[in-house]
Structure formats: structure tokens, C-alpha cells
Amino acid sequence: MKAKRILFLAIPAMLLTSCGPGAEITDSKELSDKAAAIAAKQKEIKNYKFIADIDSNGYNESTKQIISRKMKMSFEKNEDGEVKYHSETTSDGKKLTSDFYLVNDSKYKQVMYVDEFDGEKHDTSVYGYDGNELTFGLADTYYILPETYMETFSDPTALIAEEPSTDEEVVVKYFSTGDGNLTIEATTTEKASDDSKEAAISTKEVIKYDNYYFKSASIEATSNKGNTSKLNFSLEVKNKFAITLPSGWEELINKTPAEEA
């Protein structure tokens, strides 16, 4: 699971305990059939809420100190293409909160709302679609991380097809309690590296699917510096729902910072 783990370790993660995963699957055709059935079902997801909870410690080569980073993300999307994204990041004692909305509107076609709060003041921008097409074209860069993670987990056929590299030892097991259910458990150990930079040398991954949908994923990584990084993901498949903009957005739309003051 080398390729996907590169993404995981870019922002290290939190382990979820695997509880009652069911009987182990050892037949390759059974595994392939289960994974294919789940992958096909993911295409039907139109309304959902995706959550990530990140807790990591890393070694700063410049300051020779351990830096703690925590991040929580909530990403909601409906079948009309509307988006609501919220994140809270704490790094080295400093906290930043970000909110992003992309909502359809009869007057402005679409409205993009971006707000960042550094603990003291809000930096808020609101755009209507007309005249801001380039900005709207870059909208997905605001929430690319949770969307990329979700796409990574949604298709189990891609995960089970990955081959380990020559510099790692991988143990992968598959379990199921019945139709539409699959748990992937993987433990990876990297060979020692001469590189003095911090890097993961072991990981544990648990990815769960239930009722033909991705349900949760978790990773725990340990670095060559002895630091542990943890990450949790979960997905809630929802019925159609509406996303509304925060109150007061009309007063800020298409204004420059000077006009807002």
C-alpha cells in the first residue's frame, strides 16, 4: 500500500481499533468480487459528510524541537454541487479556523464564502460568480485534501491491487461479516534509511466498508525519530440536504477589504 501511504503520511494520522471485523478472507476471487461490488456502489454517493481528525508530532530540524500539530476537518457536499468545509488547525500552540462555502444562488448563480480566523480577527471574502470565474475555477483547491482522501478510500479495488516496494515489509489481511462488508488491515515496516530527515518507518492501517459504502479509515505511523502520528477518517452517506451561507454574507459580497472596513 505504498502509493496511498505517501498521501497518508503527508499529514500523519490516528488509529481506530478494529472491532469484530468478521471472518478472514483468503480466497482471491471472493475478495475481488467484494471489492468490485463496493467500488461500484461508491458512484451512487451524491450527498455526504466526510470527517478527518489528525494528531501528529514531528521533529523540527531547525529548532531541534518536537512540534505538535492537530487538525479537524469536516467536508459536506450535496448532489447540487454545493460545499461546506470547516477546519481547525493547531500548530505550535497557534490555532487557525477556516470556513469555506460554495452555494448556488438565484441572483449570483453561485456564491463562494471564505473565512479564516487566527484567534484575533476574521479575514472574510465573499464572491458572486459573474466576474469571478477564475476564482471559482480554483474553488476546489480550498478543500482538495478531504476530497482527495475520500477518493483514495472509496475504491477498495485500488487498495488491494497495490504491490509493496522492495524496501518494505507488508502484512495485509482482509475480513468480512457478509455482503457489502469489508475490512482491510495492513501493517508495514520500512527498511532503515541513511537519510537523517524524519520519515515513517512503520504504519498500521485499518479501512472499513459497510453496507457497500466506505465507512472509516485509520492510520498510525511511527517515525525514525520515535514520534507517533495518528489520523481518523469517517464518512456519513446522507439523503439530499441543503447548504446555507452564514448570516451577513449579502453585506460582504464582491467587496474589497477596504470596502468591508
Side-chain angles (χ1 to χ4, degrees):
M1 306 183 79
K2 179 76 171 180
K4 296 299 184 295
R5 205 170 52 258
I6 291 174
L7 173 63
F8 298 155
L9 300 179
I11 298 185
M14 183 178 215
L15 180 66
L16 279 175
T17 303
S18 176
C19 180
E24 184 174 0
I25 302 173
T26 56
D27 182 78
S28 59
K29 185 178 186 307
E30 180 186 359
L31 174 61
S32 178
D33 289 346
K34 281 186 176 292
I38 292 171
K41 195 73 171 178
Q42 306 308 303
K43 300 175 183 177
E44 299 179 10
I45 299 176
K46 297 180 179 180
N47 304 276
Y48 61 87
K49 182 176 183 178
F50 185 84
I51 294 176
D53 190 352
I54 299 163
D55 189 350
S56 67
N57 294 308
Y59 183 75
N60 188 309
E61 294 286 350
S62 299
T63 63
K64 308 301 181 184
Q65 294 179 332
I66 302 299
I67 302 298
S68 176
R69 296 181 178 87
K70 296 180 184 293
M71 184 176 186
K72 292 185 177 182
M73 295 183 290
S74 173
F75 177 62
E76 298 178 68
K77 191 171 185 177
N78 65 25
E79 61 188 82
D80 295 323
E82 297 179 319
V83 167
K84 178 182 178 181
Y85 172 63
H86 174 79
S87 69
E88 296 179 9
T89 305
T90 303
S91 179
D92 198 20
K94 298 178 181 179
K95 185 175 181 179
L96 175 66
T97 300
S98 298
D99 288 283
F100 176 89
Y101 293 77
L102 185 64
V103 178
N104 299 326
D105 182 80
S106 58
K107 181 177 180 180
Y108 297 101
K109 295 182 182 178
Q110 280 188 314
V111 175
M112 182 190 301
Y113 179 104
V114 184
D115 177 80
E116 291 191 352
F117 180 60
D118 62 4
E120 296 182 1
K121 65 177 182 178
H122 287 271
D123 183 4
T124 308
S125 299
V126 187
Y127 307 94
Y129 181 82
D130 288 335
N132 297 300
E133 292 84 355
L134 180 59
T135 300
F136 276 74
L138 299 174
D140 59 356
T141 60
Y142 287 94
Y143 51 86
I144 192 171
L145 185 60
E147 198 163 57
T148 299
Y149 275 129
M150 180 174 170
E151 291 175 359
T152 298
F153 295 123
S154 293
D155 186 353
T157 62
L159 297 176
I160 66 176
E162 290 181 2
E163 295 291 337
S165 67
T166 56
D167 61 348
E168 63 183 0
E169 179 182 345
V170 182
V171 177
V172 185
K173 293 185 178 182
Y174 305 95
F175 304 88
S176 179
T177 60
D179 292 343
N181 180 274
L182 178 65
T183 295
I184 303 173
E185 296 185 0
T187 302
T188 304
T189 303
E190 299 275 356
K191 292 182 179 180
S193 172
D194 295 333
D195 194 342
S196 61
K197 293 182 180 180
E198 185 166 30
I201 56 173
S202 66
T203 60
K204 295 179 181 179
E205 305 170 24
V206 180
I207 305 170
K208 298 180 180 181
Y209 302 84
D210 195 38
N211 195 28
Y212 293 95
Y213 291 125
F214 166 68
K215 181 180 181 181
S216 64
S218 62
I219 303 100
E220 183 178 80
T222 302
S223 79
N224 54 352
K225 302 289 186 182
N227 294 312
T228 301
S229 303
K230 303 176 181 180
L231 189 152
N232 269 353
F233 299 101
S234 64
L235 176 70
E236 177 187 355
V237 179
K238 306 175 70 173
N239 294 322
K240 186 175 182 179
F241 65 98
I243 295 177
T244 58
L245 293 161
S247 60
W249 66 269
E250 299 96 334
E251 300 174 5
L252 301 175
I253 193 164
N254 296 331
K255 291 184 177 180
T256 65
E259 291 173 322
E260 295 172 11

